[in-house]
Amino acid sequence: MPYKDNTPTFNVNRKVVNYKDFLSNVEAEKEELRKVTRSTKPNSEDQQHLGNSRYKFNNVTRKMDDLSPEQVQDKLDSIDDFEENQENEK
């Protein structure tokens, strides 16, 4: 009787998925972040949202990101800075 190893093969023959650059499509990324910003509700006297954050699906890591409004604004600012640096280098 031949011996059959029962350890997993760790996807030897499958295609390797490469991560693309986070900023490969800058305008689409900015539009997604603006949508997250528009969907957040500010805290008011009647309703208080703990954390006041929204979930956004990250296509690169294939996970859900929990983003607060401050984090979204910070990401938008960093994208703008990145674009300015790219224009200055040209």
Side-chain angles (χ1 to χ4, degrees), residues 18-56:
N18 294 327
Y19 287 114
K20 295 180 181 176
D21 189 12
F22 282 91
L23 296 174
S24 61
N25 191 353
V26 177
E27 293 303 320
E29 181 73 20
K30 285 169 90 173
E31 185 58 34
E32 284 183 24
L33 290 172
R34 288 185 187 125
K35 285 181 185 178
V36 172
T37 303
R38 287 192 293 262
S39 68
T40 56
K41 295 178 183 178
N43 287 336
S44 65
E45 295 279 332
D46 300 333
Q47 293 180 337
Q48 295 291 318
H49 305 287
L50 296 176
N52 200 15
S53 62
R54 291 284 180 213
Y55 288 106
K56 176 187 161 295

Side-chain angles (χ1 to χ4, degrees), residues 22-23 26-27 29-30 33-34 67 69-87:
F22 282 91
L23 296 174
V26 177
E27 293 303 320
E29 181 73 20
K30 285 169 90 173
L33 290 172
R34 288 185 187 125
L67 299 173
E70 293 83 15
Q71 289 173 329
V72 172
Q73 188 60 41
D74 186 45
K75 283 187 179 188
L76 283 170
D77 292 341
S78 66
I79 290 173
D80 290 337
D81 291 342
F82 177 75
E83 287 177 336
E84 288 176 8
N85 288 340
Q86 291 295 326
E87 289 175 6

